[in-house]
């Protein structure tokens, strides 16, 4: 449902929250929640971002002995990188029927990536071969 809402939402705070909720990358979600609080404060959404950040910090604290597990390297597929959010959304909408994707903003670019992370590069390669789109593998922590 959030995937469907993502393309219709024009409010920056709401877009950032939706992106954060849809990402499976904990550190990235935390960055997005912080971005919403910092760049797009909204009384109706700030409490959600604060609650999610508190839950994330709590999860990190409870796994302090196994923190390396949370920081384990994984791999994702990236399909494109755009200066225009509209172009990134267009590609994401074409890929979405095949695999869940997210638009990750970094250094002014909108990167279309898989939501699913792969444990190994080999698994990412296998996943890429199953899709009718060109992609490359990105290593993430």
């Amino acid at each position: 449902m959030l995937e469907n809402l993502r393309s219709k939402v024009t409010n920056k705070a709401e877009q950032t929250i939706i992106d954060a909720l849809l990402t499976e990358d904990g550190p990235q979600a935390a960055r997005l929640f912080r971005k919403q609080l910092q760049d797009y404060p909204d009384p109706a959404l700030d409490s959600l971002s604060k609650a999610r950040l508190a839950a994330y910090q709590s999860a990190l604290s409870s796994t302090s002995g196994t923190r390396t597990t949370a920081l384990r390297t994984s791999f994702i597929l990236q399909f494109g990188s755009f200066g225009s959010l509209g172009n990134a959304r267009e590609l994401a909408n074409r890929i979405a029927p095949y695999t869940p994707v997210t638009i990750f903003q970094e250094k002014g670019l909108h990167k279309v990536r898989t939501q699913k992370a792969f444990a190994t590069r080999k698994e990412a390669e296998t996943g890429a071969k199953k899709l009718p789109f060109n992609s490359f593998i990105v290593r993430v922590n």
Side-chain angles (χ1 to χ4, degrees), residues 5-21 31-43 45-46 48-49 82-86 88-89 103 105 108-110:
L5 284 175
R6 178 188 271 171
S7 62
K8 295 175 176 97
V9 172
T10 58
N11 177 296
K12 292 284 191 186
E14 292 172 353
Q15 288 173 341
T16 306
I17 292 286
I18 290 171
D19 288 345
L21 292 171
R31 282 190 291 273
L32 288 167
F33 286 123
R34 281 189 210 97
K35 179 179 180 162
Q36 182 274 311
L37 289 167
Q38 210 169 33
D39 297 348
Y40 314 114
D42 182 334
L45 298 172
D46 290 355
L48 172 64
S49 290
F82 302 89
S84 161
L85 179 57
R89 284 186 177 153
I103 298 173
Q105 188 173 6
L109 295 174
H110 306 279

Side-chain angles (χ1 to χ4, degrees), residues 75-88:
F75 301 87
I76 57 167
L77 302 178
Q78 183 170 313
F79 302 96
S81 183
F82 302 89
S84 161
L85 179 57
N87 289 344

